[in-house]
Amino acid sequence: MSKKILVLPGDGIGPEIITEAHRILDWVIADSGVAIEVEEGLVGGISYDVHGEPLTAETLKAAQASDAVLFGAIGGPKWDGTVAYDKRPEQGLLDLRKGMNAFANLRSAVCFPALADASSLKREFIEGLDILFVRELMGGVYFGEPRGIETLEDGTRVGLNTQRYADWEIERVARVAFEMARKRGSHVTSVEKANVMESGVLWREVVTKMGADEYPDVKLDHMYADNCAMQLVKNPKQFDVIVTDNLFGDLLSDAAAMLTGSLGMLPSASLSDEGPGLYEPIHGSAPDIAGQGIANPIAAILSLAMALRYSLDMGGYAEKIEAAVANVLESGTRTVDIMADGCTKVGTTGMGDAILAELSK
Ligand code: NAD
Ligand code: IPM
Ligand code: MN
């Protein structure tokens, strides 16, 4: 039976970077002979413009019926403040994650040797860096009720969001982190703010119990999120797997992206217990550079590699793509965000060309 990938380019640089990932996917299909059906759809602002919804029921259905979804990026100034809050592009992504039951977001911050000097930190701090974030993706303050903007009797306006975690939500994401750690450095750092938030107290309790009962072989430590932000910049190589909530995971992974040289380098996999995975670069639609053909497509291409590994049972091709990216970077081919002295500057398509050429060798 043939496999199916739904490609959702989205807005801004989304279509630019996904075009390159799509070309790599076409190469994988041709090279492997595996029957993979590729369908394209709309999500985010473009879907709102066409259908009045950032994610239509049909697109969600197509996502649920596929083996993997490759997602670009959504959002932009065009829709900021001009569309109803529940119809904004970002809501389309949140609904897609929820509709796919994608509760575990794996964000992998790896420093490619060739980029050790592209980071804003000194080489010695990031050479060999390999952190896996396991970000809870379906709960917390992103989804907690009550929420909204209320006007009190005295006219005071209140913006309200609720941080909320059930024990089972913490358990299922912690399990992913422990399982991943067993395949890597056997070290989990659980991050919350148990010092000021009850949701953090429960988080720490649940993770501690699971570690002791089921994963005594995995080293577990706990860190407050503010300290974690500082430690990521001070000594990032102390981390192996970081498990944290939806909001802290969002913030900390963007910070960690810069350790690898650019936000344009970090791929992610958003996984459920069963069913298709959602694969998305961690960056956004980058309105400041959209339409210029200069965005770095590597995060999107590495997200495709994750899709091949986790959803299509084609781990060998994931490794090929990752090796091709490493070699292209080694050869000095760079998009502007990771440009360095003595390297050759290319645009989005040029980077795709170079990776394809490397794969075809
Ligand atoms: P952003 O991630 O789009 O951009 C932040 C900075 O990183 C910008 O300077 C941008 O040029 C740069 N950058 C991002 N991706 C890059 C790439 N591939 N190559 C080179 N440079 C890159 O974040 P933002 O500016 O805060 O948000 C812009 C829009 O994107 C907003 O509407 C936001 O809601 C949305 N957003 C979407 C996602 C997503 O689709 N997953 C993620 C984050 C933000
Ligand atoms: C990300 C983004 C999203 C998030 C937004 C666009 C909904 O920042 O994927 O990191 O906050 O999860
Ligand atoms: Mn983010």
Side-chain angles (χ1 to χ4, degrees), residues 71 74-75 88-91 93-94 97 105 107 135 137 142 246-247 249-251 253-254 268 280-284:
F71 180 97
I74 45 76
R88 70 198 190 285
E90 290 81 354
Q91 190 61 44
L93 175 54
L94 297 177
R97 290 172 178 168
N105 181 216
R107 297 189 156 189
R135 169 191 176 196
L137 203 60
Y142 275 58
N246 205 341
L247 183 60
D250 183 39
L251 307 182
S253 59
D254 259 39
S268 88
E280 32 173 338
I282 82 155
H283 62 73

Side-chain angles (χ1 to χ4, degrees), residues 191-244:
V191 172
E192 26 62 7
K193 274 182 73 77
N195 51 343
V196 290
M197 296 163 76
E198 285 81 356
S199 59
V201 173
L202 184 66
W203 184 285
R204 190 174 286 217
E205 210 178 274
V206 168
V207 176
T208 303
K209 183 165 187 332
M210 181 178 283
D213 291 353
E214 299 179 51
Y215 299 94
D217 51 311
V218 176
K219 180 179 170 217
L220 170 66
D221 45 35
H222 305 272
M223 200 177 270
Y224 297 138
D226 48 352
N227 182 31
C228 181
M230 186 274 280
Q231 295 291 341
L232 273 172
V233 184
K234 183 184 174 204
N235 176 20
K237 283 196 270 183
Q238 70 184 281
F239 297 110
D240 175 28
V241 174
I242 293 178
V243 62
T244 190

Side-chain angles (χ1 to χ4, degrees), residues 17-327:
I17 54 156
I18 287 296
T19 296
E20 301 314 312
H22 201 153
R23 289 168 71 205
I24 309 273
L25 174 58
D26 287 342
W27 176 85
V28 169
I29 294 170
D31 191 74
S32 66
V34 173
I36 304 176
E37 204 185 307
V38 186
E39 194 189 320
E40 281 223 14
L42 301 181
V43 73
I46 176 102
S47 174
Y48 176 82
D49 287 350
V50 175
H51 300 296
E53 299 281 345
L55 177 73
T56 63
E58 291 71 42
T59 304
L60 177 58
K61 234 193 204 156
Q64 288 161 339
S66 63
D67 293 285
V69 176
L70 184 62
F71 180 97
I74 45 76
K78 180 176 177 195
W79 303 280
D80 283 343
T82 60
V83 303
Y85 203 68
D86 64 346
K87 302 272 188 219
R88 70 198 190 285
E90 290 81 354
Q91 190 61 44
L93 175 54
L94 297 177
D95 290 347
L96 184 62
R97 290 172 178 168
K98 195 120 205 175
M100 293 178 72
N101 200 28
F103 66 85
N105 181 216
L106 311 186
R107 297 189 156 189
S108 155
V110 172
C111 176
F112 283 90
L115 291 190
D117 291 316
S119 167
S120 37
L121 295 195
K122 291 194 200 91
R123 167 180 276 271
E124 69 219 64
F125 290 103
I126 42 99
E127 208 168 20
L129 181 86
D130 182 355
I131 303 175
L132 181 69
F133 286 88
V134 180
R135 169 191 176 196
E136 200 292 323
L137 203 60
M138 276 179 60
V141 74
Y142 275 58
F143 294 96
E145 296 286 345
R147 64 184 297 162
I149 300 179
E150 293 167 12
T151 305
L152 306 183
E153 271 172 24
D154 68 357
T156 306
R157 297 182 73 220
V158 177
L160 177 66
N161 292 92
T162 303
Q163 167 80 335
R164 187 179 191 282
Y165 271 110
D167 50 6
W168 57 268
E169 289 177 297
I170 302 168
E171 266 167 32
R172 66 181 181 176
V173 76
R175 189 173 302 288
V176 172
F178 281 118
E179 290 293 333
M180 286 288 159
R182 269 192 179 154
K183 297 183 200 142
R184 303 168 37 103
S186 269
H187 178 197
V188 170
T189 304
S190 174
V191 172
E192 26 62 7
K193 274 182 73 77
N195 51 343
V196 290
M197 296 163 76
E198 285 81 356
S199 59
V201 173
L202 184 66
W203 184 285
R204 190 174 286 217
E205 210 178 274
V206 168
V207 176
T208 303
K209 183 165 187 332
M210 181 178 283
D213 291 353
E214 299 179 51
Y215 299 94
D217 51 311
V218 176
K219 180 179 170 217
L220 170 66
D221 45 35
H222 305 272
M223 200 177 270
Y224 297 138
D226 48 352
N227 182 31
C228 181
M230 186 274 280
Q231 295 291 341
L232 273 172
V233 184
K234 183 184 174 204
N235 176 20
K237 283 196 270 183
Q238 70 184 281
F239 297 110
D240 175 28
V241 174
I242 293 178
V243 62
T244 190
D245 76 12
N246 205 341
L247 183 60
F248 294 145
D250 183 39
L251 307 182
L252 295 172
S253 59
D254 259 39
M258 246 349 269
L259 305 175
T260 72
S262 167
L263 197 51
M265 293 295 300
L266 240 68
S268 88
S270 305
L271 305 176
S272 69
D273 272 331
E274 48 189 34
L278 169 62
Y279 297 87
E280 32 173 338
I282 82 155
H283 62 73
S285 59
D288 54 339
I289 58 166
Q292 298 176 34
I294 59 170
N296 187 345
I298 291 180
I301 289 168
L302 294 176
S303 297
L304 168 66
M306 289 181 107
L308 295 170
R309 174 174 293 123
Y310 292 120
S311 288
L312 293 160
D313 203 14
M314 295 175 77
Y317 275 91
E319 276 165 32
K320 277 186 192 175
I321 293 171
E322 286 156 357
V325 168
N327 288 343

